[in-house]
Amino acid sequence: MLKTRETRVEERKEEKRSEKRDRILRAAEAIFLDKGFHAASMNEIAEAANVSTPHLYNFYASKAALALAVQLKMGQETFDALKTAMSAGEKNPSCQSIFDSRRSSLMLTIAQSRDKRKD
């Protein structure tokens, strides 16, 4: 089936949006790991991701929503790295990053922040 021009345009837009979302998540993870959840600001995450702060809010409504997306991304990376290591049957260097204590600390901080909002 041939794709229409409109379909190709929409696919390119979605690809660019996905790339931008990935860039935001990478920037947020780096800043959260470096500064911690509470000290990080949406402004500096936007700057690191090379997007405007209002545009960042088009992707994530709040810092908590962004932190949850980072937490999900880190969880998926952990799962993928462990799955790869287990299938290789040997110690995999890519697994070393998942044992960075700052990742665990950040995940706990995010979980605690979510629990406090429920109270």
Side-chain angles (χ1 to χ4, degrees):
M1 178 177 183
L2 293 175
K3 293 181 182 178
T4 65
R5 182 182 184 324
E6 293 81 19
T7 302
R8 290 191 307 270
V9 168
E10 286 304 314
E11 286 175 349
R12 281 195 300 267
K13 282 182 183 179
E14 183 52 38
E15 187 176 303
K16 285 183 179 185
R17 187 168 171 77
S18 179
E19 288 171 3
K20 195 173 290 185
R21 185 180 300 111
D22 290 343
R23 202 169 64 233
I24 291 168
L25 288 174
R26 284 192 310 271
E29 180 180 357
I31 291 171
F32 287 149
L33 288 173
D34 186 45
K35 293 186 152 198
F37 172 76
H38 296 293
S41 75
M42 292 293 270
N43 289 336
E44 67 187 325
I45 292 168
E47 186 177 320
N50 199 29
V51 298
S52 69
T53 302
H55 193 61
L56 175 60
Y57 281 102
N58 288 333
F59 285 87
Y60 299 99
S62 66
K63 184 167 72 167
L66 177 54
L68 179 59
V70 169
Q71 184 180 26
L72 293 171
K73 174 186 167 292
M74 290 183 346
Q76 186 62 51
E77 288 171 350
T78 300
F79 175 79
D80 292 344
L82 290 173
K83 186 176 173 184
T84 299
M86 287 173 28
S87 66
E90 58 188 53
K91 188 174 181 181
N92 187 328
S94 67
C95 291
Q96 291 176 353
S97 69
I98 66 170
F99 297 111
D100 182 339
S101 62
R102 298 175 306 160
R103 289 175 72 103
S104 303
S105 177
L106 176 60
M107 292 176 85
L108 287 172
T109 302
I110 293 167
Q112 288 172 345
S113 294
R114 289 192 346 234
D115 289 343
K116 287 179 184 176
R117 285 197 320 262
K118 292 178 185 176
D119 295 339

